[in-house]
Amino acid sequence: MNWYPVELHTHTQHSDGDFSVRALVEAAQRRGFAAIACTDHNTVSGLPELTVEAEQNELVPIPGIEWTTYWGHMLVLGEQGYTDWRGIKPSDIDQAITAIHANHGLVGIAHPLAISSPVKTGYHWEFLVNDWDAVDFMEVWSRDRAPVKVQSYRAMQLWEQLLNRGCHITATSGRDWHREDRLPYAHTYVGTDGMLSTENIFTAIRQGCVCLSTGPLLTMKGRQGNVTLDIGDTAVPGSLEITWALQAETMQQDWDASQIVPEEVHLIHNGEVIYRCSLPDHQPVTLAVSEGWLRADLIGRFYEKERQIIALTNPIFIRSDAEYRLSSRDCCRNRPKSAIH
Ligand SMILES: [Zn+2]
Ligand SMILES: [Zn+2]
């Protein structure tokens, strides 16, 4: 599995960013990203330029748009076609997501629990989602200093509640990048066995093969018998061996190792910490797991605050349903559909 840093949420002069598309791509290249999205507010006018500039800078382009409405902001990536966001009402969102999926697009909730009115209209997610399982990803971390923001704690809570209800939603971080600055941001890493491509990025996001970090990259693998499980795969209840790895050399020019200091790895099963390990020890651990999900958190100091989540993986899912046991990453929408309404 190869892990690539990608940025899924940016703005240019085509909406309210300071960047030209070229300046955005060059900034992404300087910082070490492998792929860069362009998600301007309610416009796709920057996308032709994104393709050209990304190619010249050897980055993978991720075409997108940020639906910017009174009821919330939604990232739409890779849609082939156009779903009209104008006049949308809170109860229309399930239909809109279905229409975007029919056009092969992905949808992600941007900054779901950011402070809204009177600061900024629509910053807070107020759409009435019935089928949460249809949502492909959610920004649990948004903008700078994400690990220590109240909106992040609340977004993580919402995400875990949805996971506990059986939804398969991928956590991402979003720089919501408008201009160059030196603030500390988190990074989204996508995992793929092959070369990075726009399509592989979308497959990784759909599958949940994604990790987030403000510093070193934390990844994990599972093993049941002779089956190896990557993040986003599905195990069966029972004995599960977990191995994790830290890569401190990732995106090093974009975070300060004196301010972001890992101390422990926690394994979280259905919202509860079931295993803690002080670093640098990282022996594989075998756990008995019931239905649900299991993920890893990297805990440590983030600037002046101790015991923060400074990196996390998306979950390995655990279901007794054998169909998913045999699921493959090649399947584009390999997710257990929940009965959540
Ligand atoms: Zn937004
Ligand atoms: Zn934005």
Side-chain angles (χ1 to χ4, degrees):
M1 181 69 62
N2 303 311
W3 293 95
Y4 296 95
V6 303
E7 179 50 55
L8 303 173
H9 187 168
T10 73
H11 298 279
T12 71
Q13 291 163 357
H14 287 265
S15 60
D16 63 348
D18 289 353
F19 289 118
S20 64
V21 174
R22 171 175 291 180
L24 169 70
V25 171
E26 288 175 352
Q29 208 261 359
R30 271 199 306 279
R31 284 170 183 267
F33 285 105
I36 184 79
C38 181
T39 55
D40 275 307
H41 297 290
N42 294 338
T43 181
V44 293
S45 56
L47 299 187
E49 212 182 331
L50 175 74
T51 308
V52 173
E53 295 296 337
E55 195 168 301
Q56 283 177 5
N57 286 276
E58 297 183 348
L59 264 74
V60 174
I62 305 171
I65 182 172
E66 184 175 11
W67 279 31
T68 307
T69 81
Y70 191 76
W71 309 105
H73 293 194
M74 183 168 79
L75 297 168
V76 176
L77 304 179
E79 186 178 14
Q80 295 165 22
Y82 186 73
T83 302
D84 198 345
W85 54 271
R86 292 169 299 176
I88 189 163
K89 297 186 186 64
S91 55
D92 295 341
I93 195 68
D94 291 289
Q95 277 173 291
I97 292 172
T98 301
I100 292 163
H101 284 162
N103 287 338
H104 308 286
L106 278 80
V107 299
I109 300 177
H111 44 72
L113 292 158
I115 296 166
S116 188
S117 184
V119 180
K120 287 198 175 174
T121 300
Y123 249 43
H124 194 286
W125 183 262
E126 292 178 24
F127 279 111
L128 298 169
V129 180
N130 286 305
D131 183 8
W132 276 99
D133 204 26
V135 174
D136 298 291
F137 65 101
M138 177 187 289
E139 273 182 359
V140 299
W141 279 351
S142 175
R143 297 204 171 186
D144 61 289
R145 300 181 63 82
V148 295
K149 281 183 168 160
V150 171
Q151 68 178 61
S152 306
Y153 300 144
R154 296 176 64 208
M156 289 281 287
Q157 269 181 353
L158 171 62
W159 178 52
E160 288 200 348
Q161 281 166 10
L162 293 168
L163 293 176
N164 285 342
R165 287 161 59 176
C167 297
H168 186 144
I169 298 179
T170 300
T172 64
S173 67
R175 204 171 176 111
D176 205 351
W177 209 6
H178 287 73
R179 57 196 58 85
E180 269 291 25
D181 56 41
R182 299 306 306 173
L183 299 169
Y185 288 92
H187 304 113
T188 301
Y189 293 85
V190 297
T192 176
D193 286 328
M195 295 279 290
L196 195 68
S197 66
T198 309
E199 207 40 57
N200 284 348
I201 292 168
F202 294 156
T203 301
I205 296 170
R206 286 191 183 99
Q207 173 70 11
C209 196
V210 171
C211 297
L212 318 185
S213 183
T214 57
L217 170 62
L218 173 70
T219 60
M220 71 170 178
K221 272 187 184 293
R223 175 171 284 276
Q224 277 189 320
N226 54 9
V227 176
T228 301
L229 298 141
D230 286 309
I231 294 164
D233 284 346
T234 306
V236 289
S239 177
L240 176 63
E241 181 188 276
I242 296 288
T243 311
W244 64 86
L246 273 187
Q247 294 175 36
E249 65 280 7
T250 52
M251 294 296 283
Q252 255 180 340
Q253 64 279 43
D254 209 30
W255 58 275
D256 181 347
S258 71
Q259 300 293 344
I260 296 170
V261 184
E263 285 155 7
E264 290 183 5
V265 170
H266 291 182
L267 298 181
I268 320 286
H269 178 230
N270 299 347
E272 304 290 331
V273 179
I274 58 164
Y275 183 79
R276 296 166 203 263
C277 170
S278 295
L279 296 171
D281 184 18
H282 73 290
Q283 300 298 314
V285 56
T286 301
L287 301 158
V289 290
S290 55
E291 286 231 7
W293 52 272
L294 181 139
R295 66 150 216 276
D297 282 351
L298 183 64
I299 306 293
R301 178 165 66 82
F302 181 87
Y303 288 76
E304 70 286 359
K305 291 212 172 183
E306 303 289 343
R307 304 196 63 72
Q308 301 299 310
I309 299 175
I310 59 182
L312 62 128
T313 72
N314 271 274
I316 289 175
F317 294 88
I318 303 144
R319 290 177 65 97
S320 47
D321 187 331
E323 184 186 347
Y324 298 108
R325 179 76 163 78
L326 300 171
S327 63
S328 141
R329 273 191 307 284
D330 300 332
C331 171
C332 130
R333 206 168 171 83
N334 156 34
R335 53 169 53 180
K337 298 309 291 181
S338 68
I340 308 306
H341 294 290

